[in-house]
Amino acid sequence: MSSRTVEARPGRFGGYGGRFVPESLVGACEELERAFHEAWGDTEFRDRLSGFLGDYAGRPTPLTPALRLSAELGVTVLLKREDLAHTGSHKINNVLGQALLAERMGKRRLIAETGAGSHGVATATAGALLGLPTTVFMGERDIERQALNVFRMRTLGAEVVPVTTGSRTLKDACTEALRHWVGAVDDSHYCLGSVMGPHPYPVMVREFQRVIGDEARRQVPAVPDFVVACVGGGSNAAGTFAGFLDTDAALIGVEAEGGAAVTRGSDGILHGFRTRLLQDAEGQIAEAHSIAPGLDYPGVGPEHAWFASTGQARYVTVGDTDVVAAVHRLARAEGIICALESAHAVAWLINAVAAGEIPAGASVLVTVSGRGDKDMATLMELA
Ligand SMILES: *Cc1c(COP(=O)(O)O)cnc(C)c1O
């Protein structure tokens, strides 16, 4: 980004988070912060969002006892079924919140970035629902790899703009969406896809996703010993953890081995916030690699970087081979084909039971962030 970057203090998670944006975006971030806080405190807005989450997105999503997997592992496994939400993942929770907020703010267009396309499809869906024209920035390489999602977005009436800079993937799409927002702040809302970016996004997206954890808290028969979710940017994990922060459940965030910003990253600034990043000694951002396209981001939400530093949550990694095995195991044991992203959480569960980290008889809540239909071609190639 071109103009001078200024730092403000709000939205800090320990030493992480903040708002490192060009001066031209400071006003837009402040306007969004005010609008979000007003809306979140307004029962009319909350009721309207709840209405869409219920009548449109299919909430509450079920909590499914994984009976056969539990018997095989000797622990009690409960699955929070975000795969059953409209568009097939938790992403709809956030985009419905942001699209309603955009409408309330009088914005007439939505801008979004997308990597694999799931957030782009969700945003295009919310745009169609509310009649807001939607522009999605997507790396040229991702456009080639995710042709089906590109077609979905266009079917929903969205414009998909190829990003040809850098590695032509998600990181570059984020940069381009932010750059485009600079020139369109008056009439456009930037609908960011995870608990990342400048303040207020990490707080706002967590609040829109906390419906996962709040529902699960009401649905569990007792507070589970472990609460497990996969971490890309960290929104499904942040939403899940939010429901259990006041308990003594062990909170476990599972990163992809090739995208482990918390576990293997170092402190730095990217896309308007300070966090843990995959970067080299010169601060050049490294590319993340995971079989799960939704975990292919070199950074992580600032709240997770902070949770890791304070020990409020623990972050672990699993590799692609275990992830693929976990998809197949869950499919055969429970009749649920989960997304490769979600399978990271399942794979950690299986590994941790085998390693004795989860004792026999323990209870484990696992968030199934999405369904695996989008990953069938990847799995077929490996079969
Ligand atoms: C996008 C996505 C993720 C990763 O995003 P988070 O912000 O970390 O939740 C995980 N699972 C699915 C199914 C996704 O679509």
Side-chain angles (χ1 to χ4, degrees):
M1 270 168 287
S2 50
S3 52
R4 195 171 69 86
T5 291
V6 291
E7 182 189 343
R9 298 296 304 173
R12 286 311 180 113
F13 300 93
Y16 300 106
R19 180 186 286 158
F20 299 85
V21 295
E23 280 178 327
S24 45
L25 282 185
V26 171
C29 288
E30 286 172 351
E31 181 195 7
L32 182 60
E33 184 183 355
R34 270 194 309 276
F36 170 68
H37 284 296
E38 274 169 29
W40 209 228
D42 176 359
T43 33
E44 206 174 296
F45 179 85
R46 297 287 285 258
D47 288 349
R48 186 140 192 268
L49 176 57
S50 294
F52 279 107
L53 289 173
D55 303 337
Y56 183 75
R59 305 207 71 88
T61 58
L63 185 77
T64 303
L67 298 176
R68 295 184 65 225
L69 186 67
S70 296
E72 286 173 22
L73 296 176
V75 298
T76 300
V77 182
L78 298 165
L79 304 173
K80 181 59 176 158
R81 302 289 308 282
E82 295 303 296
D83 57 312
L84 294 178
H86 182 46
T87 72
S89 81
H90 66 292
K91 295 233 163 58
I92 194 76
N93 307 327
N94 171 41
V95 299
L96 283 177
Q98 288 198 48
L100 287 174
L101 188 60
E103 186 188 59
R104 181 182 164 109
M105 293 170 75
K107 305 290 181 185
R108 292 189 307 274
R109 287 177 62 229
L110 297 177
I111 302 167
E113 82 295 341
T114 199
S118 298
H119 174 60
V121 169
T123 307
T125 299
L129 176 68
L130 297 181
L132 297 169
T134 300
T135 303
V136 181
F137 291 89
M138 188 170 187
E140 207 172 39
R141 250 176 74 201
D142 288 331
I143 287 183
E144 286 160 18
R145 293 188 288 193
Q146 306 290 339
L148 196 57
N149 272 342
V150 174
F151 188 67
R152 278 198 184 102
M153 288 183 259
R154 291 185 171 143
T155 301
L156 290 159
E159 176 194 16
V160 181
V161 177
V163 174
T164 56
T165 49
S167 55
R168 296 174 291 136
T169 58
L170 175 59
K171 168 173 72 69
D172 313 288
C174 289
T175 305
E176 205 49 44
L178 272 167
R179 186 177 292 158
H180 180 83
W181 194 34
V182 170
V185 283
D186 288 343
D187 74 334
S188 301
H189 171 68
Y190 177 21
C191 183
L192 207 154
S194 190
V195 283
M196 304 188 303
H199 182 63
Y201 284 101
V203 171
M204 179 175 71
V205 176
R206 180 200 65 213
E207 291 305 293
F208 287 144
Q209 292 292 3
R210 75 179 304 134
V211 65
I212 304 171
D214 287 345
E215 282 177 10
R217 180 73 179 272
R218 288 195 296 274
Q219 291 167 318
V220 289
V223 172
D225 299 309
F226 295 85
V227 172
V228 190
C230 68
V231 174
S235 67
N236 85 89
T240 304
F241 292 175
F244 295 90
L245 280 174
D246 63 337
T247 71
D248 51 13
L251 308 177
I252 311 286
V254 187
E255 297 188 288
E257 211 147 79
V262 179
T263 315
R264 282 201 255 293
S266 54
D267 293 359
I269 295 174
L270 179 68
H271 297 141
F273 66 111
R274 185 192 298 276
T275 190
R276 293 184 69 79
L277 295 171
L278 296 175
Q279 57 189 338
D280 65 19
E282 277 79 51
Q284 286 293 319
I285 305 301
E287 251 188 86
H289 291 290
S290 167
I291 193 169
L295 305 186
D296 253 350
Y297 182 76
V300 67
E303 191 171 27
H304 290 295
W306 180 57
F307 281 169
S309 71
T310 61
Q312 286 179 89
R314 192 152 76 81
Y315 296 83
V316 295
T317 66
V318 294
D320 289 350
T321 309
D322 289 353
V323 166
V324 171
V327 172
H328 289 289
R329 181 136 182 211
L330 187 69
R332 290 180 181 219
E334 302 295 336
I336 296 168
I337 303 179
C338 72
L340 284 165
E341 292 83 0
S342 323
H344 283 70
V346 179
W348 179 79
L349 162 71
I350 293 166
N351 291 348
V353 168
E357 277 182 66
I358 301 180
S363 56
V364 186
L365 170 71
V366 176
T367 294
V368 179
S369 55
R371 65 176 184 230
D373 305 49
K374 66 184 181 57
D375 301 316
M376 286 301 101
T378 305
L379 293 176
M380 264 167 73
E381 275 170 34
L382 296 171

